[in-house]
Amino acid sequence: METPFVFGKIATDQNFTDRRVETERLLQNFRSLTNTIIISPRRWGKSSLVIHAAKQLLMSEENVKLCMIDLFNVREEEEFYTLLAKEVLTSVSSKWEEIAVNAKNFLARLIPRISFTADVESELSFGIGLEELKRNPDDILDLAEALAVSKNIRLIICIDEFQNVANFGDSLAFQKKLRAHWQRHSHVAYCLFGSKRHMLMDVFANVSMPFYKFGDLMFLQKIETEEWIPFIRQKFQMANKVIERDEVQLLVELVDNHPYYVQQLAQQVWLRTEKLVVPSIVKEAYNGLIDQLSLLFLNSMETFSNAQLGFLKALIAGEKQLSSKQTLQAYRIGTSGNVVRIKQALMEREVIDLQGNEITFQDPLFEAWLKRDWFK
């Protein structure tokens, strides 16, 4: 029997839970063509939220088109332009003849090369010479607006892994160029998000950066336990299995309400249950999940310096005065200046998160493994 819990891929339809407030806010932004930036730690459901809201929009609104772009494998500015042009062209038309006409009409100066394979898995191949791109990328940056105006539509462009633009050569100039064009678009809205929270914060929340105040900044929060309870109980009921409120609460709290791990642990509990879930099943599944990840965690430990390991040990021990002389000596962290550098390095590696003065682990199971196995 197929398990009813989804993790590691986009959660849609009946697999999507809660986020009602965020969904409505995102829908309002889409409808009003307000740019949106979504920031949260990895695997908190940003992509699922965007897809969920976009589906609702397309079902309720006319003359709206959606363009989804993933920059995961994009490392250079020229690749970005080519991908943007291809996805925008294909999002407004499904007929390759019309795509070719639009490319000719709106990108004539760039001399685009288009080919189309008319097989079972039809695919558009789109390319532009690097020299043409370097001379004039403006037509591509304004392509979405030009097409939206000509077709009398609204276009929503959602770009995942947007933080990758920070790695382009002369990234600051590139971001200035994007902002200069996109802020003038009145028929297009941009929804930008990604998996590197610290990089996104630097791009969008840094007053000195071009994309500062580009749009509505949404910080996703964890899904509350009360929202998980009916969702998980219903999934069990569908298979004639029973999980009571207390066991759901235990399950959710063990993984600190982390959306990905809630679904994964729920699956493990579901697989271990014949009829009724008892606390021992939840705890057994939880420890089994940590065991599954232990090799991954063990390998990651080899990449930390001794000072970083000391810092992690201090966190696990509950130390609050990390820069005190006593803590520095007890955990062999080094100097107080080292603490600042270690915090920054661990945030960049997405090991910890810093909100105000509170330091938390981004991965609750990594924290649990450190407590249970590494620093025992």
mmCIF file of all heavy atoms in Angstrom, residues 117-140:
data_model
loop_
_atom_site.group_PDB
_atom_site.id
_atom_site.type_symbol
_atom_site.label_atom_id
_atom_site.label_comp_id
_atom_site.label_asym_id
_atom_site.label_seq_id
_atom_site.Cartn_x
_atom_site.Cartn_y
_atom_site.Cartn_z
ATOM 1 N N THR A 117 11.604 19.311 -30.898
ATOM 2 C CA THR A 117 11.519 17.879 -31.164
ATOM 3 C C THR A 117 10.078 17.430 -30.979
ATOM 4 O O THR A 117 9.534 17.489 -29.880
ATOM 5 C CB THR A 117 12.429 17.086 -30.207
ATOM 6 O OG1 THR A 117 12.059 17.383 -28.861
ATOM 7 C CG2 THR A 117 13.882 17.468 -30.420
ATOM 8 N N ALA A 118 9.453 17.007 -32.037
ATOM 9 C CA ALA A 118 8.031 16.643 -31.992
ATOM 10 C C ALA A 118 7.857 15.151 -31.735
ATOM 11 O O ALA A 118 7.258 14.426 -32.514
ATOM 12 C CB ALA A 118 7.358 17.040 -33.303
ATOM 13 N N ASP A 119 8.401 14.681 -30.622
ATOM 14 C CA ASP A 119 8.218 13.280 -30.260
ATOM 15 C C ASP A 119 7.315 13.189 -29.041
ATOM 16 O O ASP A 119 6.624 14.145 -28.689
ATOM 17 C CB ASP A 119 9.571 12.604 -30.000
ATOM 18 C CG ASP A 119 10.399 13.385 -28.982
ATOM 19 O OD1 ASP A 119 9.809 14.208 -28.244
ATOM 20 O OD2 ASP A 119 11.620 13.177 -28.930
ATOM 21 N N VAL A 120 7.327 12.033 -28.390
ATOM 22 C CA VAL A 120 6.450 11.846 -27.233
ATOM 23 C C VAL A 120 6.774 12.860 -26.144
ATOM 24 O O VAL A 120 5.889 13.426 -25.503
ATOM 25 C CB VAL A 120 6.595 10.407 -26.676
ATOM 26 C CG1 VAL A 120 5.739 10.245 -25.423
ATOM 27 C CG2 VAL A 120 6.185 9.401 -27.744
ATOM 28 N N GLU A 121 8.069 13.113 -25.942
ATOM 29 C CA GLU A 121 8.486 14.087 -24.943
ATOM 30 C C GLU A 121 8.964 15.347 -25.665
ATOM 31 O O GLU A 121 10.154 15.625 -25.752
ATOM 32 C CB GLU A 121 9.590 13.512 -24.056
ATOM 33 C CG GLU A 121 9.131 12.316 -23.228
ATOM 34 C CD GLU A 121 10.226 11.797 -22.324
ATOM 35 O OE1 GLU A 121 11.344 12.351 -22.370
ATOM 36 O OE2 GLU A 121 9.969 10.847 -21.573
ATOM 37 N N SER A 122 8.012 16.083 -26.202
ATOM 38 C CA SER A 122 8.344 17.273 -26.974
ATOM 39 C C SER A 122 9.145 18.255 -26.128
ATOM 40 O O SER A 122 8.818 18.512 -24.979
ATOM 41 C CB SER A 122 7.054 17.943 -27.466
ATOM 42 O OG SER A 122 6.332 17.055 -28.294
ATOM 43 N N GLU A 123 10.190 18.792 -26.724
ATOM 44 C CA GLU A 123 11.040 19.701 -25.966
ATOM 45 C C GLU A 123 11.527 20.831 -26.864
ATOM 46 O O GLU A 123 11.899 20.621 -28.020
ATOM 47 C CB GLU A 123 12.242 18.952 -25.391
ATOM 48 C CG GLU A 123 13.139 19.831 -24.536
ATOM 49 C CD GLU A 123 14.277 19.044 -23.911
ATOM 50 O OE1 GLU A 123 14.250 17.812 -23.978
ATOM 51 O OE2 GLU A 123 15.191 19.692 -23.368
ATOM 52 N N LEU A 124 11.515 22.022 -26.314
ATOM 53 C CA LEU A 124 12.001 23.195 -27.029
ATOM 54 C C LEU A 124 13.465 23.418 -26.689
ATOM 55 O O LEU A 124 13.847 23.444 -25.524
ATOM 56 C CB LEU A 124 11.190 24.428 -26.626
ATOM 57 C CG LEU A 124 11.693 25.777 -27.162
ATOM 58 C CD1 LEU A 124 11.430 25.881 -28.654
ATOM 59 C CD2 LEU A 124 11.018 26.924 -26.427
ATOM 60 N N SER A 125 14.280 23.547 -27.710
ATOM 61 C CA SER A 125 15.685 23.887 -27.513
ATOM 62 C C SER A 125 15.864 25.343 -27.903
ATOM 63 O O SER A 125 15.481 25.751 -29.000
ATOM 64 C CB SER A 125 16.578 22.987 -28.372
ATOM 65 O OG SER A 125 17.932 23.371 -28.232
ATOM 66 N N PHE A 126 16.426 26.114 -26.985
ATOM 67 C CA PHE A 126 16.505 27.555 -27.195
ATOM 68 C C PHE A 126 17.922 28.021 -26.899
ATOM 69 O O PHE A 126 18.504 27.658 -25.879
ATOM 70 C CB PHE A 126 15.513 28.264 -26.264
ATOM 71 C CG PHE A 126 15.445 29.755 -26.450
ATOM 72 C CD1 PHE A 126 14.583 30.308 -27.373
ATOM 73 C CD2 PHE A 126 16.248 30.599 -25.705
ATOM 74 C CE1 PHE A 126 14.519 31.679 -27.546
ATOM 75 C CE2 PHE A 126 16.189 31.968 -25.872
ATOM 76 C CZ PHE A 126 15.318 32.510 -26.799
ATOM 77 N N GLY A 127 18.481 28.802 -27.793
ATOM 78 C CA GLY A 127 19.836 29.284 -27.566
ATOM 79 C C GLY A 127 20.048 30.667 -28.144
ATOM 80 O O GLY A 127 19.403 31.057 -29.117
ATOM 81 N N ILE A 128 20.955 31.403 -27.524
ATOM 82 C CA ILE A 128 21.309 32.743 -27.988
ATOM 83 C C ILE A 128 22.819 32.866 -27.911
ATOM 84 O O ILE A 128 23.446 32.431 -26.938
ATOM 85 C CB ILE A 128 20.651 33.834 -27.121
ATOM 86 C CG1 ILE A 128 19.124 33.747 -27.211
ATOM 87 C CG2 ILE A 128 21.106 35.221 -27.555
ATOM 88 C CD1 ILE A 128 18.407 34.705 -26.292
ATOM 89 N N GLY A 129 23.420 33.441 -28.925
ATOM 90 C CA GLY A 129 24.865 33.615 -28.931
ATOM 91 C C GLY A 129 25.335 34.496 -27.792
ATOM 92 O O GLY A 129 24.686 35.486 -27.443
ATOM 93 N N LEU A 130 26.473 34.133 -27.202
ATOM 94 C CA LEU A 130 26.986 34.881 -26.058
ATOM 95 C C LEU A 130 27.303 36.327 -26.416
ATOM 96 O O LEU A 130 27.101 37.235 -25.610
ATOM 97 C CB LEU A 130 28.239 34.191 -25.512
ATOM 98 C CG LEU A 130 28.028 32.806 -24.884
ATOM 99 C CD1 LEU A 130 29.347 32.279 -24.336
ATOM 100 C CD2 LEU A 130 26.992 32.877 -23.773
ATOM 101 N N GLU A 131 27.810 36.542 -27.608
ATOM 102 C CA GLU A 131 28.157 37.906 -28.011
ATOM 103 C C GLU A 131 26.922 38.789 -28.080
ATOM 104 O O GLU A 131 26.940 39.947 -27.647
ATOM 105 C CB GLU A 131 28.883 37.883 -29.361
ATOM 106 C CG GLU A 131 30.273 37.283 -29.299
ATOM 107 C CD GLU A 131 31.161 37.985 -28.277
ATOM 108 O OE1 GLU A 131 31.144 39.233 -28.223
ATOM 109 O OE2 GLU A 131 31.856 37.284 -27.524
ATOM 110 N N GLU A 132 25.836 38.227 -28.634
ATOM 111 C CA GLU A 132 24.592 38.995 -28.706
ATOM 112 C C GLU A 132 24.072 39.322 -27.301
ATOM 113 O O GLU A 132 23.597 40.428 -27.033
ATOM 114 C CB GLU A 132 23.523 38.214 -29.479
ATOM 115 C CG GLU A 132 23.779 38.083 -30.974
ATOM 116 C CD GLU A 132 24.573 36.829 -31.300
ATOM 117 O OE1 GLU A 132 25.164 36.248 -30.365
ATOM 118 O OE2 GLU A 132 24.614 36.439 -32.470
ATOM 119 N N LEU A 133 24.176 38.330 -26.409
ATOM 120 C CA LEU A 133 23.711 38.543 -25.042
ATOM 121 C C LEU A 133 24.497 39.639 -24.343
ATOM 122 O O LEU A 133 23.935 40.484 -23.645
ATOM 123 C CB LEU A 133 23.831 37.244 -24.240
ATOM 124 C CG LEU A 133 22.669 36.262 -24.325
ATOM 125 C CD1 LEU A 133 22.994 35.007 -23.536
ATOM 126 C CD2 LEU A 133 21.396 36.889 -23.801
ATOM 127 N N LYS A 134 25.804 39.610 -24.502
ATOM 128 C CA LYS A 134 26.647 40.596 -23.834
ATOM 129 C C LYS A 134 26.367 42.006 -24.338
ATOM 130 O O LYS A 134 26.440 42.971 -23.586
ATOM 131 C CB LYS A 134 28.120 40.240 -24.042
ATOM 132 C CG LYS A 134 28.565 38.993 -23.282
ATOM 133 C CD LYS A 134 30.018 38.649 -23.579
ATOM 134 C CE LYS A 134 30.435 37.394 -22.822
ATOM 135 N NZ LYS A 134 31.828 36.991 -23.143
ATOM 136 N N ARG A 135 26.054 42.098 -25.633
ATOM 137 C CA ARG A 135 25.801 43.424 -26.198
ATOM 138 C C ARG A 135 24.466 43.989 -25.733
ATOM 139 O O ARG A 135 24.345 45.184 -25.475
ATOM 140 C CB ARG A 135 25.832 43.353 -27.733
ATOM 141 C CG ARG A 135 27.230 43.310 -28.330
ATOM 142 C CD ARG A 135 27.185 43.666 -29.812
ATOM 143 N NE ARG A 135 26.368 42.734 -30.568
ATOM 144 C CZ ARG A 135 26.851 41.650 -31.166
ATOM 145 N NH1 ARG A 135 28.139 41.362 -31.067
ATOM 146 N NH2 ARG A 135 26.057 40.854 -31.846
ATOM 147 N N ASN A 136 23.458 43.114 -25.634
ATOM 148 C CA ASN A 136 22.131 43.650 -25.322
ATOM 149 C C ASN A 136 21.225 42.603 -24.686
ATOM 150 O O ASN A 136 20.460 41.934 -25.381
ATOM 151 C CB ASN A 136 21.480 44.190 -26.605
ATOM 152 C CG ASN A 136 20.205 44.955 -26.302
ATOM 153 O OD1 ASN A 136 19.885 45.209 -25.147
ATOM 154 N ND2 ASN A 136 19.478 45.321 -27.341
ATOM 155 N N PRO A 137 21.275 42.469 -23.351
ATOM 156 C CA PRO A 137 20.368 41.538 -22.667
ATOM 157 C C PRO A 137 19.023 42.176 -22.320
ATOM 158 O O PRO A 137 18.135 41.510 -21.796
ATOM 159 C CB PRO A 137 21.137 41.195 -21.389
ATOM 160 C CG PRO A 137 21.869 42.463 -21.079
ATOM 161 C CD PRO A 137 22.234 43.076 -22.411
ATOM 162 N N ASP A 138 18.878 43.474 -22.604
ATOM 163 C CA ASP A 138 17.689 44.203 -22.161
ATOM 164 C C ASP A 138 16.394 43.601 -22.697
ATOM 165 O O ASP A 138 15.381 43.559 -21.990
ATOM 166 C CB ASP A 138 17.777 45.672 -22.582
ATOM 167 C CG ASP A 138 18.928 46.397 -21.898
ATOM 168 O OD1 ASP A 138 19.567 45.775 -21.030
ATOM 169 O OD2 ASP A 138 19.176 47.562 -22.230
ATOM 170 N N ASP A 139 16.414 43.154 -23.960
ATOM 171 C CA ASP A 139 15.190 42.607 -24.543
ATOM 172 C C ASP A 139 14.699 41.386 -23.771
ATOM 173 O O ASP A 139 13.487 41.174 -23.629
ATOM 174 C CB ASP A 139 15.427 42.223 -26.008
ATOM 175 C CG ASP A 139 15.572 43.449 -26.903
ATOM 176 O OD1 ASP A 139 15.311 44.564 -26.410
ATOM 177 O OD2 ASP A 139 15.958 43.293 -28.075
ATOM 178 N N ILE A 140 15.626 40.575 -23.273
ATOM 179 C CA ILE A 140 15.231 39.397 -22.500
ATOM 180 C C ILE A 140 14.673 39.809 -21.144
ATOM 181 O O ILE A 140 13.665 39.266 -20.681
ATOM 182 C CB ILE A 140 16.423 38.437 -22.325
ATOM 183 C CG1 ILE A 140 16.724 37.739 -23.651
ATOM 184 C CG2 ILE A 140 16.137 37.400 -21.235
ATOM 185 C CD1 ILE A 140 17.863 36.755 -23.586
#
